[in-house]
Amino acid sequence: MPSDEDEMLQAMGLQRIDDLFADIPAAVRIPKIDLPDGLPELTVVRHVTSLLSANRTMAEMPTFLGGGLYDHFVPASVRAITSRSEFYTAYTPYQPELSQGLLQALWEYQSLICELTGMDAANTSMYDASTALGEAARMAHRIHGGNVFLVPRALRHNRKAVLANYLNGTGVEAREVDYDRGTGMLDLTKLEAALSPAVCGVYVENPNFLGRFEEQLAEIRALTGAVFVVGVNPIAQAVVRPPGDFGADIVIGEGQSLGTAVNCGGPLLGIFACRQEHVRKMPGRVIGLTRDVKGHRAFCMTLQTREQHIRREKAMSNICTNESLLAVAAAAFVAVQGSNGLRRLAAENIRRAKELAASIDKISGFTAPVFNGAHFNEFVVRYKGDYSAVHRGLLARGVHGGLSLARQLPELSDSALFATTERQKADDVNRLLQALEAVA
């Protein structure tokens, strides 16, 4: 009985697989790749399952790791919507008029992001918050012309690294502004000293890397005429005034918390929004609402500033692929939660963080939170001794503790950034507290 391969070769009038590559000169062909022969599917499944069994999931190991992604509950309705083939298999709509459903979903996403941030326009997303920050810095340079972009010294290392890559070759330098040792917020005295006519943009986060709400947005805006860029946590935005109220020009953020599971670190969703006067200099794509020739409501690709579609010298960015499926998930998540549900979720995260910090603070040897003032769902914990030993002790007891800050902020080498969400059960919190008492 001929194999499927034999039948396909016969249909093409070929004898061997190698005949498919006969047009490639022999001199440029590579020899056979040294790979083992294929295995039956059942054998592969058993092998991969054995490899995966070494992993510890969040369900098995309570995780309080801050400084990255957040384990929020994703309703089944969000997964049901994003599992529809119209969304799940769709790529960037190069023929947008044929993708009305996807365009409407992205338009809804843009509208919700504008409402959360107080901005006039949002694009259909970036890869993540780090790429959004890099694009924001370049956009600030295009708007202002200066060659210095100020960022907080207390900033996630991955965002610093991506920002450095984005500014490479632009002539723009990223300079850091230190934080206040008492409040954890930006040090306004040092910010004022760093400002100059060469500063094209100032970036701050609310809440910031240390978990503190940045309560000085109005003061920072008043200090500078440069482009004001604010990084946000979209869930926290449900209970704080939007950056637009404080005169922000650009708002970015990580949208993973809106309907996307942690998934071993990705994929992520970069939020990017700006004021109307800056729209033409914004990277990415914008979906608009219009009328078709019959007067029916319709959606269209309104703006795309990539060099593939416009003259290169007028392009704003090379970025093209966005995170459409995750943007759809974010829109579905916010719609399912509703405004009241999103506020309740944000308030619950604040309450849990406050209670957890107070409980840790009662354990001998620990101080929490280290910084005074309001926090969202993260806070810094200080230990009287070597925190790395605490971290190892927690792992040995089946609990993942906070992010050690020694690598990012040496003066906080005895501290770690803890995070909590609505997902952690009382038993999880008790396991953490008991483990901390045991290792202290």
Side-chain angles (χ1 to χ4, degrees):
M1 181 177 177
S3 65
D4 292 344
E5 181 179 306
D6 292 336
E7 290 184 354
M8 287 189 285
L9 288 171
Q10 185 178 8
M12 291 184 286
L14 303 175
Q15 300 296 319
R16 303 174 303 154
I17 289 290
D18 289 345
D19 293 341
L20 290 169
F21 310 105
D23 293 334
I24 301 175
V28 299
R29 297 182 200 172
I30 60 173
K32 181 182 178 181
I33 299 175
D34 185 19
L35 290 175
D37 294 334
L39 298 172
E41 181 179 355
L42 178 59
T43 304
V44 172
V45 170
R46 285 173 176 161
H47 177 62
V48 172
T49 301
S50 69
L51 295 176
L52 293 175
S53 65
N55 293 338
R56 305 286 299 276
T57 69
M58 286 184 170
E60 301 165 334
M61 177 183 240
T63 300
F64 297 88
L65 188 66
L69 309 182
Y70 306 103
D71 183 26
H72 291 291
F73 176 68
V74 179
S77 52
V78 174
R79 294 195 298 273
I81 291 170
T82 54
S83 296
R84 290 186 62 89
S85 60
E86 300 93 326
F87 294 132
Y88 195 77
T89 62
Y91 185 58
T92 300
Y94 282 105
Q95 294 176 304
E97 70 279 6
L98 299 179
S99 309
Q100 286 296 301
L102 179 58
L103 291 184
Q104 179 175 356
L106 294 176
W107 183 83
E108 301 285 359
Y109 162 79
Q110 294 173 179
S111 303
L112 293 167
I113 293 301
C114 287
E115 190 167 348
L116 284 171
T117 61
M119 292 286 99
D120 300 316
N123 69 17
T124 57
S125 75
M126 316 293 285
Y127 294 125
D128 55 18
S130 297
T131 55
L133 174 58
E135 293 284 359
R138 295 174 67 112
M139 184 172 162
H141 176 58
R142 291 193 292 270
I143 294 172
H144 183 278
N147 59 2
V148 175
F149 188 73
L150 299 180
V151 299
R153 177 168 167 264
L155 183 66
R156 289 170 173 81
H157 67 90
N158 55 312
R159 290 185 187 172
K160 284 186 183 181
V162 173
L163 174 63
N165 282 333
Y166 264 77
L167 295 183
N168 187 23
T170 64
V172 179
E173 176 190 0
R175 293 181 186 170
E176 297 180 358
V177 178
D178 212 349
Y179 63 93
D180 183 280
R181 294 297 188 271
T183 67
M185 297 190 295
L186 202 66
D187 188 320
L188 293 189
T189 302
K190 292 180 179 177
L191 171 63
E192 193 166 7
L195 290 171
S196 75
V199 173
C200 63
V202 176
Y203 174 66
V204 296
E205 295 183 336
N206 184 35
N208 64 22
F209 173 62
L210 301 173
R212 280 282 281 115
F213 279 113
E214 180 57 72
E215 302 171 12
Q216 310 170 118
L217 295 183
E219 291 85 347
I220 295 170
R221 172 73 282 180
L223 282 175
T224 178
V227 176
F228 189 25
V229 185
V230 179
V232 300
N233 178 319
I235 291 181
Q237 282 306 123
V239 292
V240 299
R241 290 174 61 192
D245 285 3
F246 299 97
D249 296 289
I250 302 170
V251 177
I252 69 160
E254 177 51 63
Q256 171 270 327
S257 56
L258 301 178
T260 300
V262 174
N263 292 332
C264 299
L268 305 176
L269 172 68
I271 292 171
F272 200 108
C274 69
R275 292 192 176 280
Q276 178 67 36
E277 58 264 35
H278 304 317
V279 167
R280 184 57 184 83
K281 295 187 182 299
M282 182 168 64
R285 302 169 178 210
V286 176
I287 307 303
L289 174 63
T290 184
R291 297 279 177 187
D292 64 15
V293 293
K294 297 181 179 179
H296 300 148
R297 189 176 78 157
F299 299 89
C300 63
M301 189 82 76
T302 301
L303 182 70
Q304 45 188 353
T305 55
R306 189 192 184 201
E307 89 290 347
Q308 180 178 339
H309 307 287
I310 61 177
R311 283 183 293 173
R312 184 173 184 178
E313 61 272 21
K314 290 184 176 295
M316 297 297 111
S317 168
N318 186 46
I319 195 164
C320 175
T321 302
N322 58 302
E323 299 283 5
S324 292
L325 183 64
L326 304 191
V328 172
F333 180 87
V334 176
V336 168
Q337 295 286 344
S339 56
N340 289 333
L342 208 59
R343 279 193 288 269
R344 283 194 295 270
L345 178 59
E348 176 69 5
N349 276 252
I350 292 172
R351 182 187 68 79
R352 283 173 173 258
K354 186 175 182 179
E355 291 181 357
L356 180 59
S359 298
I360 293 175
D361 193 59
K362 293 176 182 175
I363 301 174
S364 177
F366 292 94
T367 301
V370 169
F371 298 105
N372 300 321
H375 293 68
F376 182 50
N377 65 345
E378 292 175 291
F379 55 90
V380 175
V381 176
R382 175 172 288 143
Y383 179 58
K384 64 181 180 182
D386 178 15
Y387 180 77
S388 61
V390 173
H391 192 68
R392 290 193 297 272
L394 293 178
L395 291 177
R397 289 163 176 79
V399 180
H400 203 303
L403 172 71
S404 172
L405 296 174
R407 173 186 174 190
Q408 320 207 32
L409 299 167
E411 69 275 15
L412 294 177
S413 60
D414 57 354
S415 303
L417 183 64
F418 278 66
T420 184
T421 72
E422 75 284 356
R423 289 271 284 175
Q424 276 129 12
K425 306 183 295 293
D427 288 348
D428 299 332
V429 173
N430 289 334
R431 282 179 65 180
L432 169 66
L433 298 176
Q434 291 170 6
L436 287 173
E437 289 176 347
V439 300

